[in-house]
Amino acid sequence: MTDTISPAPAGSVPTDQTHAAPSGSIRKVVLAGCVGIFVELYDNGIFAFMATALAIVFFDVSKSSDALLLVFAGYAISFFVRPLGAVICGILGDKIGRQKMLVFVIMLISVATAGIGILPTYAAIGVAAPVLLVALRLAQGFSVGGEAAGAMTFLAEHSPEGKRGLITSYAQIASFLALLTGTLVAYTMSPWLNASAIHGGGFGSWAWRIPFLIAIPMGLIGWYIRRAISDTPNFGKLKESGGLSRNPLKEAFATSEHRRAMLLALFIPLMNGSGYYVLFSYMPTFLKGDKIGFSTGTALIVTAASLVAISIAIPFMGALSDKLGRKKVIASAAIAMAVGAIPCYALIATGSFALAVLGACIMAVIFAGHTAVIHILIVELFPTRVRYSAYGLGYNISSALFGGTAPLLMTWLIPHFGIYVPAVYAVATALGTLAAVSTVTDRAHLPLRDTL
């Protein structure tokens, strides 16, 4: 078998055939995928929710806003290691199996997150503290780079025909429930997430560590569940037939179809930048800013309400994409975001708690049409031979460029250009997604391909 696409060998599976898992194992598959996603996204998201406390503990600068910028710079830097995680985990996932890599990444991020929880502070070890914080954040980024493509590929390749959108959407529910959990944990700890409590001694001096140490039991649960599941039927059949790629990343660049698909995987997720990373991860910080002035607790409640709204909406959008197609659902969400982002942020900017909840929840429901469908659309762009590698690389480069940098960008731009910067960013990324998705050939009603 050459490194480039070649005809499948005798006895191999047909090019367009899905080998769905038996119905009795679907629940175990969904549980394994969703538990892992939950752990990964809690561990990844709690960093942003705890940004204020991390700025106090790890950065010795005179202005709190400058310290916050440094925290979000560390948050952003981690996204640039995500493509590396996607490449390494993707190549191994396409060569030795999805399940093995999913076990590895959940253990890596759990160790990294718990490591943040036990780090000495700046007061204890000086500049080594922020250096170690960023190093552990990079390990988190590497792990998340291998998680998204792996988990979604795993779920999609196990899914029966006609339900891939719904089943993969469950993982997105898990991701937002993870953010909701992080929000509620941060809300519970909010009385101790300020300078007076942290520097006052007693419980407050170490309470900020608890949200990170929660990663230990969650990681053990995720590891236990994932290690007990089998690999996907598509991967197993391809392995039995001798059809696995020797160099999946090289193969992904070998044909014009794969190169075009990776460009689509780069640009269709543009809305994630204004949705996942601004509307949810950055929102508590945005609401606590001088322009709006909510308390930490109030800001987290607004974010929690929007997370509940999107978690309810996601499975309906996933099921809708199974009926109407991925392209129509994502395009409709992009149009709605382009039209609705500025009015929704106007509601949030009033400073009224009720109107802020309304604006955030409307945007959350709109964004559900994107986030519920984006991953299965990208999965369907690639064949099994290169799916993990190609999907992971394209998607994680997109996340690095337009997602991880978003909180840092918002923190820097809002003081210069005003409170509507996130709304303008939402409109711009929605239009970018709309332009990209309009060129897609929808494969929602076709089987997954094993080879080109």
Side-chain angles (χ1 to χ4, degrees):
M1 183 68 64
T2 61
D3 289 342
T4 57
I5 298 291
S6 61
S12 67
V13 296
T15 298
D16 293 304
Q17 182 175 341
T18 297
H19 315 281
S23 58
S25 66
I26 290 295
R27 287 185 181 180
K28 293 181 180 178
V29 167
V30 171
L31 179 63
C34 290
V35 167
I37 285 281
F38 181 93
V39 173
E40 289 274 350
L41 272 297
Y42 171 86
D43 289 354
N44 185 59
I46 198 65
F47 190 96
F49 289 134
M50 299 293 291
T52 301
L54 294 176
I56 295 167
V57 171
F58 290 106
F59 295 94
D60 183 29
V61 295
S62 57
K63 292 174 62 179
S64 59
S65 59
D66 290 342
L68 201 58
L69 271 174
L70 291 172
V71 171
F72 281 125
Y75 183 83
I77 289 170
S78 72
F79 281 76
F80 289 94
V81 79
R82 281 179 61 165
L84 178 62
V87 167
I88 293 176
C89 294
I91 290 173
L92 292 173
D94 282 331
K95 289 171 69 69
I96 67 174
R98 287 76 163 103
Q99 183 263 351
K100 291 184 176 65
M101 296 315 301
L102 290 178
V103 171
F104 166 73
V105 294
I106 199 171
M107 292 308 298
L108 175 61
I109 199 167
S110 299
V111 170
T113 305
I116 294 174
I118 63 174
L119 269 185
T121 65
Y122 186 94
I125 61 172
V127 72
V131 170
L132 290 171
L133 176 68
V134 172
L136 290 170
R137 180 62 190 166
L138 291 175
Q140 286 183 319
F142 183 96
S143 176
V144 175
E147 172 68 30
M152 293 298 179
T153 294
F154 182 82
L155 288 173
E157 290 179 357
H158 273 292
S159 299
E161 288 297 325
K163 292 188 177 180
R164 291 197 300 263
L166 176 61
I167 288 177
T168 54
S169 76
Y170 292 148
Q172 286 301 89
I173 298 173
S175 74
F176 285 98
L177 289 178
L179 286 182
L180 176 59
T181 301
T183 302
L184 295 176
V185 169
Y187 175 74
T188 302
M189 304 304 299
S190 59
W192 299 280
L193 303 183
N194 55 71
S196 60
I198 290 172
H199 296 315
F203 178 74
S205 65
W206 58 268
W208 65 270
R209 300 181 184 275
I210 294 174
F212 297 99
L213 296 176
I214 290 173
I216 296 173
M218 289 199 307
L220 289 173
I221 292 170
W223 169 80
Y224 177 79
I225 293 174
R226 281 190 166 179
R227 67 185 290 271
I229 55 174
S230 59
D231 221 316
T232 72
N234 290 71
F235 181 85
K237 292 289 185 180
L238 202 61
K239 183 178 180 179
E240 289 175 10
S241 70
L244 296 178
S245 175
R246 294 177 183 173
N247 191 334
L249 188 63
K250 179 180 179 181
E251 185 174 309
F253 284 98
T255 71
S256 59
E257 180 178 337
H258 286 167
R259 291 193 295 270
R260 179 177 180 275
M262 279 196 286
L263 283 175
L264 291 172
L266 175 64
F267 288 108
I268 295 175
L270 279 172
M271 264 180 71
N272 271 356
S274 58
Y276 193 94
Y277 297 104
V278 173
L279 181 57
F280 298 108
S281 293
Y282 178 70
M283 184 60 76
T285 303
F286 174 73
L287 293 172
K288 290 185 294 183
D290 295 338
K291 303 289 185 179
I292 297 178
F294 283 172
S295 67
T296 297
T298 302
L300 290 169
I301 290 174
V302 172
T303 304
S306 65
L307 287 166
V308 171
I310 196 169
S311 297
I312 294 171
I314 281 173
F316 293 99
M317 297 297 182
L320 190 63
S321 77
D322 284 329
K323 295 181 179 180
L324 302 182
R326 323 299 183 205
K327 186 173 180 177
K328 289 180 180 178
V329 175
I330 291 182
S332 298
I335 293 169
M337 184 66 80
V339 172
I342 292 176
C344 286
Y345 268 94
L347 292 174
I348 295 170
T350 63
S352 163
F353 171 74
L355 292 179
V357 169
L358 177 62
C361 287
I362 291 172
M363 288 192 72
V365 172
I366 291 172
F367 183 60
H370 175 86
T371 196
V373 183
I374 181 63
H375 290 283
I376 187 58
L377 183 147
I378 299 175
V379 163
E380 292 167 345
L381 291 176
F382 301 102
T384 302
R385 282 168 59 91
V386 301
R387 184 171 292 126
Y388 197 158
S389 304
Y391 165 16
L393 181 61
Y395 177 76
N396 283 288
I397 289 177
S398 180
S399 294
L401 294 177
F402 308 111
T405 58
L408 175 63
L409 193 63
M410 299 300 104
T411 302
W412 180 66
L413 288 176
I414 287 173
H416 295 88
F417 298 101
I419 202 168
Y420 284 96
V421 168
V424 173
Y425 190 65
V427 172
T429 55
L431 292 176
T433 286
L434 180 63
V437 80
S438 66
T439 68
V440 166
T441 299
D442 201 320
R443 295 188 59 87
H445 302 127
L446 299 173
L448 292 178
R449 298 169 295 163
D450 288 336
T451 60
L452 187 65

